[in-house]
Amino acid sequence: MVVMIPKPGRDKSKVKGWRPIVLLNVVGKLADKVVAGEIMKKEELFHERAFAGRKGRGAIDSVMLMDEIRKETGGDVYGGDVKSAFNSLDRDVMRRVLHDYEDLNHWMDHFLRPRTFNVKVYGRVIGKGTMVGGTPQGTPISPTLFTVYMGRMVKEVEELMRKREKEQRHGVVTRRGKGGGREKRTFVPLSYIGDINSVRVGKSEPMDEVLEKQQETST
């Protein structure tokens, strides 16, 4: 069931004038929470700097890490947002990511099937719809799935940053490398559900290419 709530001061004759609220089956949400917990145990599915939908990796942890890197390097923070985040999740990509996990395959196949729903306005059902893409709002599993999915975006931005690093002489200190030496990168990407941020050193060098790539992967 999707209940449409009018937004204060907005034109109700337009879709953007309404806020859809998804009402899900409570038993189903409990089952999703159990599966979300099983996915969280598989640390290899998550990018090391992808936050939310994971135990011990909340919003505060993300902000603290980003601020720590910024203070240590004197860098700038650039942010981007994935428009309609949950709706943008590619179900085929998600199936491929979890393909090797037999304990999740059956559930994932069922969870990502097209869903039909009723639309209710002012207490009256006015129509039906079908959800064929993305991941549902309101279920405990969606933040976890999207955090796994965002790892792909963070990796793409990170690869571009590494490419640019080779062309520059300075880098951001992010962690200890092999042999105890410092590993340096010009840019450090972090994600929090539908947000992706980058920290970089210096203010004089252009970063149009990185912002363009970040914008591209956010749409």
Side-chain angles (χ1 to χ4, degrees):
M1 177 71 70
V2 176
V3 179
M4 305 300 291
I5 306 296
K7 297 179 180 179
R10 296 293 186 89
D11 186 353
K12 296 182 180 61
S13 66
K14 297 181 179 179
V15 175
K16 291 185 178 180
W18 298 81
R19 186 181 305 281
I21 305 297
V22 180
L23 302 181
L24 299 175
N25 180 278
V26 175
V27 176
K29 291 177 70 172
L30 289 174
D32 288 347
K33 187 173 183 179
V34 172
V35 177
E38 292 301 310
I39 295 177
M40 291 180 199
K41 295 177 182 179
K42 306 180 188 304
E43 287 289 331
E44 67 277 8
L45 285 172
F46 299 89
H47 189 279
E48 60 182 341
R49 286 187 299 280
F51 294 83
R54 309 172 63 184
K55 293 181 180 179
R57 292 293 188 93
I60 295 178
D61 301 289
S62 173
V63 173
M64 290 181 64
L65 175 60
M66 187 164 51
D67 190 56
E68 179 182 343
I69 296 173
R70 182 187 62 80
K71 288 180 178 179
E72 182 178 350
T73 64
D76 299 323
V77 177
Y78 295 81
D81 177 70
V82 179
K83 186 177 181 179
S84 300
F86 286 176
N87 292 337
S88 69
L89 182 143
D90 188 315
R91 295 184 174 189
D92 290 333
V93 171
M94 205 68 250
R95 288 188 180 95
R96 289 197 296 270
V97 169
L98 299 176
H99 180 267
D100 294 333
Y101 297 89
E102 295 183 1
D103 55 333
L104 296 175
N105 275 339
H106 179 72
W107 175 87
M108 181 59 62
D109 181 63
H110 178 77
F111 182 80
L112 296 179
R113 290 177 183 175
R115 298 179 178 220
T116 58
F117 56 88
N118 291 324
V119 179
K120 181 180 287 188
V121 177
Y122 294 131
R124 183 170 62 89
V125 175
I126 64 171
K128 294 184 177 182
T130 302
M131 181 181 179
V132 296
T135 183
Q137 299 276 354
T139 171
I141 195 69
S142 288
T144 300
L145 283 181
F146 198 79
T147 298
V148 173
Y149 186 72
M150 277 290 287
R152 173 184 61 93
M153 183 186 299
V154 175
K155 185 177 180 180
E156 288 182 11
V157 174
E158 193 170 41
E159 288 175 353
L160 174 60
M161 294 172 179
R162 285 173 175 167
K163 178 182 177 182
R164 285 182 60 86
E165 179 192 359
K166 295 179 181 179
E167 303 170 356
Q168 299 178 5
R169 295 182 179 180
H170 63 271
V172 172
V173 178
T174 61
R175 60 185 179 182
R176 289 285 181 181
K178 294 181 179 180
R182 286 286 188 176
E183 178 184 347
K184 293 186 177 182
R185 296 176 186 169
T186 303
F187 303 97
V188 182
L190 303 92
S191 72
Y192 183 84
I193 305 184
D195 298 319
I196 181 168
N197 301 295
S198 302
V199 184
R200 82 172 182 111
V201 166
K203 300 182 179 180
S204 60
E205 296 192 27
M207 63 173 302
D208 294 344
E209 186 180 349
V210 171
L211 290 178
E212 182 179 346
K213 183 63 176 180
Q214 188 161 303
Q215 178 65 26
E216 177 186 331
T217 54
S218 296
T219 57

